[in-house]
Amino acid sequence: MTTAAPVNALVIFGATGDLAKLETFPALVGMVERGALEVPVIGVAKSGWQLEQFKDYAADSLRNNGMDPDAEPSKRMLELLRYVDGDLSDDATYQSVAAKLPQRSRNLFYLEVPPALFATIAQGISKAGLAGDARVMVEKPFGTDLRSARQLNETMHEIFPEDSIYRVDHWLGLDATENVLFARFANTMLEPLLNRTYVDSIQITMGEAFDVADRGRFYDNTGAIRDVIQNHMLQVLAAVMMEPPVGGLDTMRDARASVIRSLRPLTPDTVVRGQYNGYRDVPGVESGSTTETFAAVRLAADTWRWEGVPILIRAGKTLPVTATDVTVRLRRPPRNVFGVQPFRSQNSLRFRIWPEAAIGVELAGKKPGAGLEPQADELVFEQPPGADMRPYDRLIGAALNGERWLFARQDTVEAAWRVVDPVLGDVVPVRPYERATWGPVAANQLLPEGESWYDPRA
């Protein structure tokens, strides 16, 4: 794996926002603890604060995440913090940032702000003479459709070359996503089975038992397809379906892009949209909203390896469980050797992505006793929740070191939008569903004949 020269400073725009409070500060402590962060961390925001208030905010973030601000790694992280209070549209703000940077430094700029501010910040960085040799991390959403994604890329490329842009999809930083790659490419027993000869279907279920809570205004302009399927779920799918990277991690993004480019664009008959009852009562949601809180899609890949294999994805709010599983169902044996009726024996490979990392292989054995009746058992490799590294710890650390394989590339982002673009908006009607159910019953119509959705609670 090739790494670029490390940076001399981390600058976080939007450093007093929710993402910083929920994820960034705890991640920075983890980086300090493992020796991955020793450079100044400059927060930039317009909050009317001084440095001490910013540090207090960071300390509160640690407490809210069950971390002790007085522990040694926390204290070292807090000592690295600097702060610039200013308007992001004011050139003076960027001059103040420049004054706090080491001379002739290579900087990582992390834009924890809405995409509408990307151009303003990029131009401010450039005017201050800070764009040369810089890296820039940007948070999703990378546009709201294919057209806006292209415009956003063009805007960023006016200041930064593609190799300097690190697009964050935090699911790529999950231990469980990397676990999929390890299971495939660090073993010889699984990879030969992952193709159309042995695989009957691929399913991904992303269940969230909670509702949109106080995010009504944001969610009503987004919906399940834009929020999780176009990005998170397609990235997970690529990890399951990609070809072995040529030459190692440096070509991982090529392999990922190839899978997503191969997916056929969705059509109305391959999509079911749903909305849980009570969603329209959420503050910030339009009274007649047709935004989907659930979506199920059926995909197909035009590749030699996966031709003809149905790919099913469903994701939604207020489902019976909060869990994300990938299930690869293998074909039944070609003959019913034991004369079992009905003949149900079918192997499967399961990847648990959230809330813990797990790999399960379901095998058929003989049920004890008289007769020749099969009994399914699952062999599971499992890591308990909380045993993995925080995704933002991994992602920020990778960007500091110039490791790009954990980040989304422009062509991959645009290819993912190309898949979902035809069904955005109200092309497909939205169907109501009750809380704590698996969404509209119509989602079952997307399944191959005789197949059911895998239940992550099973």
Side-chain angles (χ1 to χ4, degrees):
M1 178 177 59
T2 302
T3 58
V7 302
N8 308 109
L10 169 62
V11 181
I12 303 174
F13 291 93
T16 61
D18 288 342
L19 178 59
K21 190 171 187 177
L22 294 172
E23 298 287 353
T24 308
F25 293 118
L28 295 179
V29 171
M31 294 171 64
V32 167
E33 191 167 19
R34 62 187 177 89
L37 179 66
E38 297 176 346
V39 300
V41 178
I42 303 167
V44 185
K46 188 180 180 181
S47 298
W49 291 356
Q50 300 295 324
L51 177 59
E52 287 309 309
Q53 290 168 290
F54 181 55
K55 287 186 175 183
D56 289 344
Y57 184 79
D60 285 342
S61 164
L62 302 184
R63 293 188 190 94
N64 293 338
N65 280 273
M67 303 172 73
D68 181 3
D70 294 322
E72 188 57 32
S74 300
K75 289 195 293 185
R76 296 208 310 269
M77 187 278 287
L78 293 171
E79 289 170 0
L80 293 174
L81 296 182
R82 313 286 186 269
Y83 184 68
V84 171
D85 195 87
D87 190 325
L88 295 179
S89 62
D90 187 347
D91 290 345
T93 300
Y94 301 90
Q95 294 297 334
S96 297
V97 170
K100 292 185 179 296
L101 294 170
Q103 288 189 346
R104 295 184 296 278
S105 63
R106 178 184 291 104
N107 309 304
L108 171 62
F109 297 103
Y110 188 3
L111 278 54
E112 296 189 8
V113 297
L117 292 172
F118 287 0
T120 299
I121 295 174
Q123 290 162 5
I125 291 170
S126 179
K127 289 179 181 178
L130 301 175
D133 290 330
R135 297 172 197 154
V136 57
M137 287 177 67
V138 294
E139 281 285 336
K140 82 170 189 73
F142 314 121
T144 57
D145 53 21
L146 179 58
R147 179 173 172 273
S148 60
R150 285 173 170 164
Q151 289 176 335
L152 188 57
N153 283 322
E154 290 172 3
T155 296
M156 294 301 295
H157 288 159
E158 289 177 2
I159 306 298
F160 300 103
E162 175 64 20
D163 285 351
S164 296
I165 302 173
Y166 293 69
R167 297 175 185 83
V168 177
D169 184 330
H170 73 272
W171 279 63
L172 291 175
L174 293 175
D175 245 15
T177 306
E178 292 190 355
N179 208 27
V180 174
L181 302 176
F182 261 80
R184 292 190 57 194
F185 304 135
N187 300 289
T188 57
M189 62 183 294
L190 300 179
E191 184 60 19
L193 302 177
L194 295 179
N195 57 65
R196 66 185 303 274
T197 303
Y198 296 104
V199 174
D200 214 12
S201 68
I202 300 172
Q203 283 191 25
I204 302 179
T205 289
M206 179 185 177
E208 295 177 325
F210 48 87
D211 57 24
V212 301
D214 60 354
R215 299 173 71 231
R217 189 173 305 280
F218 161 79
Y219 200 89
D220 208 40
N221 290 312
T222 307
I225 294 176
R226 287 185 172 96
D227 192 36
V228 296
I229 290 182
Q230 181 272 339
N231 39 70
H232 303 329
M233 296 300 97
L234 292 190
Q235 295 287 6
V236 169
L237 180 65
V240 176
M241 295 176 60
M242 70 168 63
E243 297 292 332
V246 177
L249 294 178
D250 287 341
T251 60
M252 187 74 75
R253 299 202 303 171
D254 294 333
R256 193 184 297 140
S258 181
V259 171
I260 296 178
R261 280 199 304 266
S262 77
L263 299 174
R264 297 174 197 165
L266 291 168
T267 57
D269 61 326
T270 58
V271 177
V272 172
R273 297 167 68 235
Q275 185 185 95
Y276 69 80
N277 288 330
Y279 170 74
R280 295 177 182 177
D281 298 328
V282 174
V285 172
E286 294 291 333
S287 59
S289 173
T290 56
T291 298
E292 78 280 358
T293 61
F294 170 95
V297 303
R298 177 166 172 159
L299 293 159
D302 290 324
T303 69
W304 185 281
R305 182 191 282 246
W306 296 110
E307 178 64 32
V309 176
I311 304 161
L312 294 308
I313 301 176
R314 63 174 175 172
K317 303 283 189 185
T318 71
L319 302 188
V321 65
T322 297
T324 300
D325 275 1
V326 181
T327 307
V328 181
R329 295 179 186 265
L330 302 180
R331 296 189 185 279
R332 290 181 172 84
R335 293 192 63 237
N336 184 359
V337 173
F338 301 104
V340 178
Q341 298 296 334
F343 186 39
R344 293 195 182 94
S345 177
Q346 187 173 37
N347 305 132
S348 64
L349 176 63
R350 178 177 65 89
F351 299 102
R352 168 59 61 88
I353 306 297
W354 186 261
E356 70 277 359
I359 303 170
V361 179
E362 185 177 281
L363 301 174
K366 179 185 176 298
K367 186 175 181 179
L372 298 172
E373 189 173 345
Q375 176 176 286
D377 286 300
E378 188 179 39
L379 311 177
V380 180
F381 167 80
E382 189 171 43
Q383 298 174 356
D388 58 338
M389 181 190 297
R390 290 176 179 270
Y392 281 88
D393 181 338
R394 179 176 286 111
L395 292 167
I396 298 172
L400 286 171
N401 289 329
E403 299 170 14
R404 307 187 68 237
W405 71 277
L406 286 172
F407 297 91
R409 202 168 61 189
Q410 173 188 354
D411 59 338
T412 309
V413 169
E414 293 184 8
W417 279 119
R418 201 171 291 114
V419 172
V420 304
D421 234 32
V423 296
L424 296 177
D426 293 328
V427 175
V428 178
V430 66
R431 304 166 185 260
Y433 66 96
E434 296 296 332
R435 289 170 175 263
T437 68
W438 285 109
V441 176
N444 297 336
Q445 299 170 9
L446 302 177
L447 294 164
E449 185 176 355
E451 189 167 323
S452 59
W453 288 100
Y454 176 81
D455 187 342
R457 298 171 300 179

